[in-house]
Amino acid sequence: MILKIKHFVIFITLLGFVSCKQESSRLVKIEGKQIAIDSTFTKTEGIEEFITPYRNRINEVLDSTLAYAPKSISKEDGEFNTTAGNLMADIVRIQANPIFKSRTGKDIDIVLLNHGGIRSVISKGKVTARNAFEVMPFENTIKVAAIKGEYINDMVTYLIQSGRAHPISGMQVVLDKNRKLKKALIQGKPIDPEQTYYVATSDYLITGGDHMDFFKNNTSITDTDYLIRNAMIDYFKKVDTLAPVIDDRFYMEK
């Protein structure tokens, strides 16, 4: 699917009058109209000359190689977990945990993101900052919710019933042949209903986005002030090769 975006310039005209006696002016009316920027809109040479060096520098930064992908990384290559989802969730855990721990003394137990939040494939070949903007075009930041185990069980139920491969890290969900829950583990251990777990996610999901209402049952929220996109770029910079795989973090027994 190709997303077509129209750009507009908005012109605003301010109309007023001056009082000779008071030597002051006041606003009478504001008028505006939209002018579509399309193929009929011609360039202004002076403006083009001014912005060209900035555009070239931005493109140079965005297209510089940061890592390499030996194969395509997609959110559509698995039923319960995917290469793109696993990569994204693991990046959030790896990059955000040091920040969270420095502020709270605790570690992130789980990462949960949403399948729909991944907006592009990372194609085979060089990986750049532009890829990060394509995969995560939104200004979403990483937040960490403290949630009791009883509500983590609601999260597991949501994952099973959603029918989508929502990215997770730090958790394992295993289904039996009838797609019923066989076991759910956090950091290799059964979920303790009384224990508090620290779940990293996006600022969108933490408020109940994508019907993830269990996040509203948090006892505290820590904002890392870290964009998911920036976490991706920082991770790309420190690894040579991106080779995520579909694994056993969420699967159904045969």
Side-chain angles (χ1 to χ4, degrees):
M1 180 179 66
I2 299 175
L3 182 63
K4 295 183 178 179
I5 302 175
K6 275 194 173 182
H7 299 276
F8 296 90
V9 174
I10 300 177
F11 287 91
I12 298 176
T13 304
L14 304 180
L15 304 177
F17 69 89
V18 177
S19 169
C20 295
K21 290 183 179 180
Q22 299 180 357
E23 295 185 353
S24 63
S25 63
R26 65 185 179 86
L27 183 65
V28 176
K29 187 194 301 183
I30 298 177
E31 294 180 340
K33 63 179 179 179
Q34 290 185 336
I35 299 178
I37 301 176
D38 53 26
S39 59
T40 65
F41 203 86
T42 59
K43 295 180 180 179
T44 302
E45 289 303 321
I47 295 177
E48 185 67 19
E49 290 178 6
F50 178 78
I51 67 173
T52 293
Y54 296 97
R55 180 195 297 124
N56 291 343
R57 177 56 181 160
I58 289 172
N59 287 335
E60 180 184 349
V61 172
L62 288 178
D63 294 328
S64 295
T65 301
L66 303 179
Y68 178 78
K71 63 179 182 178
S72 178
I73 301 171
S74 170
K75 70 174 185 178
E76 305 294 347
D77 54 11
E79 181 180 2
F80 297 103
N81 68 91
T82 68
T83 54
N86 293 350
L87 177 65
M88 291 284 289
D90 288 347
I91 285 175
V92 168
R93 179 175 53 81
I94 292 167
Q95 294 298 125
N97 193 64
I99 299 172
F100 179 67
K101 189 163 188 174
S102 69
R103 296 182 183 180
T104 66
K106 307 291 185 179
D107 287 305
I108 292 172
D109 295 300
I110 311 167
V111 174
L112 171 61
L113 302 174
N114 61 322
H115 182 269
I118 302 173
R119 292 307 179 105
S120 180
V121 172
I122 297 178
S123 299
K124 177 181 177 180
K126 70 175 185 178
V127 179
T128 67
R130 189 182 298 277
N131 292 127
F133 277 84
E134 292 169 345
V135 172
M136 178 54 64
F138 315 109
E139 299 298 302
N140 290 127
T141 60
I142 300 169
K143 292 192 176 185
V144 183
I147 302 178
K148 286 283 190 179
E150 61 178 306
Y151 300 114
I152 298 296
N153 286 324
D154 293 338
M155 179 189 299
V156 174
T157 299
Y158 173 89
L159 290 171
I160 296 170
Q161 295 179 349
S162 70
R164 307 185 78 185
H166 293 297
I168 60 173
S169 183
M171 170 186 281
Q172 184 185 45
V173 179
V174 181
L175 306 181
D176 64 21
K177 295 179 181 180
N178 298 314
R179 291 180 176 260
K180 302 295 183 182
L181 178 65
K182 182 172 183 179
K183 64 178 179 179
L185 306 175
I186 297 176
Q187 301 295 331
K189 298 179 181 179
I191 298 171
D192 181 348
E194 298 302 316
Q195 183 175 332
T196 296
Y197 295 95
Y198 298 97
V199 187
T201 188
S202 73
D203 55 345
Y204 166 66
L205 298 177
I206 212 164
T207 58
D210 259 9
H211 305 293
M212 296 190 184
D213 296 327
F214 45 82
F215 275 120
K216 296 179 181 179
N217 296 311
N218 68 81
T219 56
S220 68
I221 295 175
T222 302
D223 192 344
T224 65
D225 305 303
Y226 198 9
L227 289 174
I228 295 177
R229 183 196 309 123
N230 288 352
M232 294 175 64
I233 293 171
D234 290 341
Y235 181 81
F236 294 166
K237 288 179 179 178
K238 69 182 188 181
V239 300
D240 176 74
T241 303
L242 300 180
V245 297
I246 297 170
D247 56 26
D248 65 352
R249 67 187 69 193
F250 190 178
Y251 72 99
M252 184 177 68
E253 292 184 335
K254 295 181 180 180

